[in-house]
Amino acid sequence: MNNELAVLASELPVLQAKGTYKYLKEITGNGAYYQVAWQKLADGYIALYGTTPIQINVAPILNDIFEDEEGETMPSKADVKAWKAQLVAQAEQQILKLTDSDRFKQYLNTLAKFHHCSARNIDLMWHKLAVNQC
């Protein structure tokens, strides 16, 4: 195979030597083998087959390595989920508080009076009205 991108995208290791692994022509008809790596040749890559996968050393998760400024580890998924739920609840409360106010009702009345104007012009008029009332 000459497509290096496809080889790298397969996430299989690339070996310089064949070792104990076999080429496809050496295992035809034997269902116990599957592709475990690639071998880099001068003109491209060739698939290597084996009966057991190659153990790849995986980098540790960043949460296990890095700590924040206070020495605590990164928040867990459950903590993040709870934090998001709290933010949504606070946002809902603020929206309800805003939409029940007299000021919001005045804003809607202003919108209704100038339905033929653009939203930007309405906002400009509303801002001037609010500044003049203060």
Side-chain angles (χ1 to χ4, degrees), residues 70-114:
E70 298 165 359
E72 298 176 8
T73 58
M74 300 294 286
S76 67
K77 287 184 180 181
D79 292 340
V80 171
K81 191 174 183 179
W83 176 72
K84 286 180 182 179
Q86 180 185 7
L87 285 179
V88 168
Q90 288 175 349
E92 287 174 349
Q93 288 175 354
Q94 292 298 323
I95 290 171
L96 287 174
K97 186 176 169 183
L98 171 71
T99 56
D100 288 341
S101 69
D102 289 333
R103 186 156 172 80
F104 185 69
K105 290 175 186 170
Q106 290 173 348
Y107 178 71
L108 292 178
N109 286 334
T110 304
L111 287 176
K113 292 176 187 172
F114 299 102

Side-chain angles (χ1 to χ4, degrees), residues 33-44:
Y33 288 89
Y34 57 94
Q35 186 177 357
V36 295
W38 295 95
Q39 182 182 3
K40 184 171 177 62
L41 303 175
D43 60 344

